[in-house]
Amino acid sequence: MKRVLSGIQPSGQLTMGNYIGAIQNFVKLQHEHECFFMVVDLHAITVPQDPEALREQTESVAALYIAAGIDPVKAAIFLQSQVPQHAELGWLLTTLTYMGELERMTQFKDKSEGKESVGAGLFVYPSLMAADILLYNADLVPVGDDQKQHLELTRDIANRFNHRFGDYFTVPANYTPEVGARIMSLDDASKKMSKSNPNAGSYIALLDDPAVIRKKISRAKTDSEAVVKYDPANKPEVSNLLSIYSHAAGMSIAEIEAKYEGQMYGPFKKDLAEQVAALIEPLQARYHEVRRTGEHHDALRRGAERACEVAQKTLDEVKRRMGFVLPR
Ligand code: AQP
């Protein structure tokens, strides 16, 4: 049994990108491994936040974890800010991270582009992410394609620590699905689908009304070829819709291509919308039940207790190795 850790930022409404790239894998992995799934609220404040929105989105992500099928008895679900060891190890690892490494992070470049004042937190975000993972000595980190560069840096930081202070950290491996590792925007297939995109038509939110989802999919960009074929280099929009279809319906890309052979995009898009709605409707019903009963609060409390126990052991050992005096 391996140890698995991952998280999602409460920085907006979760999208089908988050579902396919992350949550769907979390649900699978909980049956095979010891899992820790966080809501990374400390990461969400690396860009300016509205306090009320942050609170609501944090609860929403936690409830969606449960609604999507993560069992809080099997996996620890917790809020990053309720496990203070993350911030502390984050600082320690920041001192082991080089400016040049952080400057190379494409997510930092994307999120800071064109902004006048960019917070230092956005810059050092990858050191905190390294702390998130290394606190649990996680073997496997299920993330979408967009997070691979951060994970690579985590590996470098872990190796650097091990080299300077003696072998301690597990160097984590990533776990990314082949198809769907990067779900793209509905309006621009060169950009990933992102919950913080100001254009709501660019993403399918898990809490979107099914009528809205149908509309968004019917308006999704395609091409003029009218052939349902997976070819990301030449048909990025249609390939993206095929990936979403494949995950929503549990069908292979080849099966879907065969189903729509000789047809225009209309029937394909219509069925895709139905598949997504069929996936989302029960999830939404369960979500509203969780929010109504508040069962996620109990799960978060238990999750944080379990996470703190593991995290404190790691933090003590890291501090001892780095030369800090521990309380006696
Ligand atoms: N479009 C995507 N396709 C596949 N996987 C994705 N993920 C995010 N977008 C896609 C995966 O979801 C997990 C959580 O991501 P995050 O919230 O930590 O931050 P992110 O990667 O920056 O996701 P967003 O939705 O784009 O958030 P914002 O807009 O706030 O930056 C990760 O495993 C990620 O790979």
Side-chain angles (χ1 to χ4, degrees):
M1 184 185 278
K2 293 194 165 153
R3 191 174 273 173
V4 174
L5 176 121
S6 199
I8 296 185
Q9 293 187 65
S11 46
Q13 289 256 359
L14 293 201
T15 70
M16 277 301 282
N18 300 127
Y19 183 78
I20 294 169
I23 297 181
Q24 224 177 26
N25 293 323
F26 297 177
V27 174
K28 276 189 214 138
L29 287 164
Q30 68 179 339
H31 301 295
E32 296 147 36
H33 302 292
E34 182 189 11
C35 293
F36 293 85
F37 298 125
M38 310 172 284
V39 182
V40 284
D41 46 3
L42 296 177
H43 286 281
I45 61 165
T46 54
V47 292
Q49 86 279 16
D50 169 54
E52 214 30 72
L54 179 64
R55 251 187 297 276
E56 168 54 29
Q57 285 156 9
T58 302
E59 289 214 34
S60 172
V61 177
L64 275 171
Y65 276 173
I66 297 174
I70 298 176
D71 175 355
V73 174
K74 280 205 168 96
I77 297 177
F78 63 97
L79 307 184
Q80 185 189 27
S81 62
Q82 290 185 2
V83 182
Q85 292 85 351
H86 286 257
E88 191 171 351
L89 185 64
W91 169 248
L92 301 182
L93 297 184
T94 299
T95 67
L96 290 176
T97 311
Y98 301 134
M99 298 282 288
E101 290 175 319
L102 296 172
E103 278 160 2
R104 280 196 292 278
M105 295 295 118
T106 53
Q107 183 163 301
F108 174 73
K109 289 187 207 159
D110 290 348
K111 289 195 172 178
S112 59
E113 198 186 345
K115 304 245 163 65
E116 261 185 26
S117 38
V118 176
L122 189 64
F123 189 62
V124 297
Y125 171 120
S127 307
L128 180 58
M129 179 164 159
D132 298 337
I133 297 165
L134 299 178
L135 264 182
Y136 302 90
N137 272 303
D139 303 285
L140 272 187
V141 185
V143 286
D145 225 14
D146 59 314
Q147 292 293 337
K148 272 189 179 167
Q149 196 188 23
H150 289 160
L151 192 64
E152 199 46 54
L153 181 58
T154 298
R155 295 160 59 84
D156 290 343
I157 295 171
N159 281 320
R160 193 167 302 146
F161 179 95
N162 288 349
H163 184 69
R164 284 187 54 184
F165 303 109
D167 251 2
Y168 177 62
F169 282 135
T170 303
V171 179
N174 72 324
Y175 172 98
T176 308
E178 300 243 312
V179 172
R182 191 184 287 255
I183 298 297
M184 310 312 280
S185 280
L186 298 181
D187 60 340
D188 178 354
S190 69
K191 289 199 192 123
K192 72 163 187 152
M193 184 179 283
S194 215
K195 58 177 129 56
S196 62
N197 190 323
N199 174 15
S202 70
Y203 57 76
I204 301 167
L206 295 180
L207 296 177
D208 270 344
D209 191 88
V212 172
I213 293 173
R214 288 186 186 100
K215 196 176 276 175
K216 285 184 179 179
I217 291 178
S218 76
R219 290 185 180 160
K221 213 172 151 206
T222 47
D223 51 46
S224 53
E225 206 188 38
V227 177
V228 180
K229 183 164 170 276
Y230 189 79
D231 178 0
N234 300 306
K235 295 170 70 67
E237 295 89 3
V238 173
S239 302
N240 187 43
L241 296 180
L242 270 164
S243 293
I244 299 174
Y245 196 132
S246 163
H247 281 271
M251 284 167 74
S252 73
I253 298 279
E255 281 171 325
I256 307 167
E257 284 174 340
K259 184 166 177 198
Y260 297 98
E261 202 180 337
Q263 296 191 49
M264 311 282 276
Y265 292 139
F268 166 66
K269 277 184 156 184
K270 195 164 171 292
D271 291 352
L272 168 60
E274 294 317 314
Q275 293 291 354
V276 173
L279 174 90
I280 273 178
E281 274 167 347
L283 187 144
Q284 290 186 353
R286 176 78 178 112
Y287 169 82
H288 293 301
E289 183 185 54
V290 174
R291 289 301 298 264
R292 200 176 54 251
T293 59
E295 65 186 271
H296 55 302
H297 291 293
D298 194 38
L300 291 174
R301 194 181 32 73
R302 280 186 283 119
E305 278 168 14
R306 200 160 135 201
C308 275
E309 212 176 289
V310 179
Q312 190 57 46
K313 281 200 189 113
T314 307
L315 188 60
D316 283 347
E317 185 56 23
V318 167
K319 288 173 79 174
R320 192 187 67 72
R321 286 174 183 242
M322 288 180 83
F324 290 94
V325 176
L326 299 179
R328 292 196 198 168

